[in-house]
């Protein structure tokens, strides 16, 4: 149960920070039609997950509970793109380049296709 609370609390805080940071960046952007806030959050999340997992691997810095809170919870709430970035990087690092390319392409293509399909499904619903 404590693990769920750690992930949930981290996710809550990460989600709130994502909302605030993304909104602040988007408000500051001159060209508002491009999702600058999302780009900034995803990039920051990838930098943070790289840094934290690097510390964890090189120095054994974090306990399981700390990793659950920071990486799974906080960064998972902040952006799931950071997990995608790390997992793709890890595949390259362990020599699974083809799987890394498949993951990168699959995530983008399937993600965009799922958004398109979901939008189509929503438009098939009768008006309320």
């Amino acid at each position: 149960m404590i693990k769920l609370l750690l992930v949930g609390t981290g996710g809550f805080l990460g989600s709130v920070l994502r909302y605030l940071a993304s909104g602040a960046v988007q408000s500051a952007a001159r060209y508002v039609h491009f999702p600058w806030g999302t780009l900034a959050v995803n990039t920051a999340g990838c930098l943070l997950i790289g840094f934290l997992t690097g510390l964890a691997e090189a120095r054994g810095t974090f306990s399981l509970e700390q990793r659950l809170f920071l990486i799974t919870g906080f960064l998972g709430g902040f952006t799931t793109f950071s997990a995608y970035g790390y997992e793709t990087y890890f595949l390259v690092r362990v020599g699974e380049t083809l799987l890394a390319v498949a993951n990168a392409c699959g995530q983008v293509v399937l993600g965009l296709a799922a958004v398109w399909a979901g939008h189509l499904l929503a438009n098939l619903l009768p008006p309320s």
Side-chain angles (χ1 to χ4, degrees):
M1 184 55 108
I2 189 74
K3 291 176 183 177
L4 292 176
L5 290 172
L6 288 168
V7 171
T9 303
F12 169 76
L13 295 172
S15 295
V16 170
L17 184 59
R18 176 184 65 225
Y19 172 76
L20 295 172
S22 179
V25 169
Q26 196 63 41
S27 292
R30 291 179 185 242
Y31 188 73
V32 296
H33 297 293
F34 186 81
W36 292 109
T38 301
L39 179 63
V41 164
N42 286 339
T43 303
C46 286
L47 178 66
L48 283 169
I49 203 168
F51 180 73
L52 294 175
T53 56
L55 283 179
E57 291 172 12
R59 300 188 178 146
T61 307
F62 303 110
S63 68
L64 172 62
E65 290 79 11
Q66 290 169 322
R67 286 194 308 269
L68 286 172
F69 176 79
L70 287 171
I71 295 168
T72 305
F74 182 79
L75 289 177
F78 189 63
T79 171
T80 57
F81 192 81
S82 61
Y84 155 73
Y86 175 72
E87 289 164 351
T88 305
Y89 163 77
F90 182 79
L91 287 170
V92 170
R93 210 173 99 199
V94 298
E96 296 289 354
T97 307
L98 187 58
L99 287 178
V101 170
N103 186 48
C105 293
Q107 295 279 354
V108 171
V109 171
L110 291 174
L112 291 173
V115 168
W116 176 75
H119 194 266
L120 281 178
L121 287 171
N123 285 318
L124 291 176
L125 296 173
S128 53

